[in-house]
Amino acid sequence: MRRLRCGTILAATVAAVATAAPLAEYPGEVGENVSTEMASFPHWYCKAYAKYVDNEQAMKFDQHLLVAAIAPRALLVEGFNQGWFDAKGEWLSCRAASPVWEFLGKEGLPKGDFPENYDRSRIGSTFGYVRRGGQHGLSGYDWLWMLDFADKAFSEE
């Protein structure tokens, strides 16, 4: 059994039913934006983030760079279709980040169009995307997808 030590890098990450902003591309056409995030959840962000309120175009980065920084470690993004969530923006960020996994010798996001709810065909062994409807919060589907993804990711080691 391995121990997690200071400086150890986690082998897999799952972003499950996150709000749109952490993973969606900016400037988003739907869903949350910096203005609504800073008004509703200022405790989630550093104060410097506020300079992008109604000014997302000034960002010198896009959220797909955050996603790409996780490579080559395994990442599953579980999108959520409701209200201010921007599942399409999350998907676009994942697609934009996928070449980094490939460059580093890992399987990128499986090819294909924006998946329908509950379509697991975009879940690969090291990078995946799936989305669902329903209520906010973790569901039985989320746990099933996370555990299946972990099995794939850790069988690659």
Side-chain angles (χ1 to χ4, degrees), residues 63-127:
Q63 297 304 76
H64 76 280
L65 298 175
L66 173 63
V67 175
I70 296 169
R73 292 169 297 281
L75 172 64
L76 174 62
V77 175
E78 293 186 3
F80 184 63
N81 270 356
Q82 209 175 58
W84 65 80
F85 293 85
D86 182 5
K88 183 73 180 254
E90 289 176 332
W91 165 252
L92 293 172
S93 288
C94 289
R95 279 193 23 194
S98 184
V100 178
W101 270 264
E102 296 164 9
F103 174 78
L104 295 171
K106 297 289 185 172
E107 177 188 353
L109 192 67
K111 306 294 183 214
D113 294 329
F114 182 50
E116 295 294 326
N117 280 347
Y118 306 99
D119 177 357
R120 297 176 303 164
S121 65
R122 304 303 180 279
I123 302 176
S125 61
T126 56
F127 192 13

Side-chain angles (χ1 to χ4, degrees), residues 20-21 26 28 30-38 49 54 56 84:
Y26 283 112
V30 299
E32 285 185 305
N33 55 43
V34 178
S35 178
T36 59
E37 291 167 354
M38 291 305 290
Y49 190 56
D54 298 324
E56 284 96 346
W84 65 80

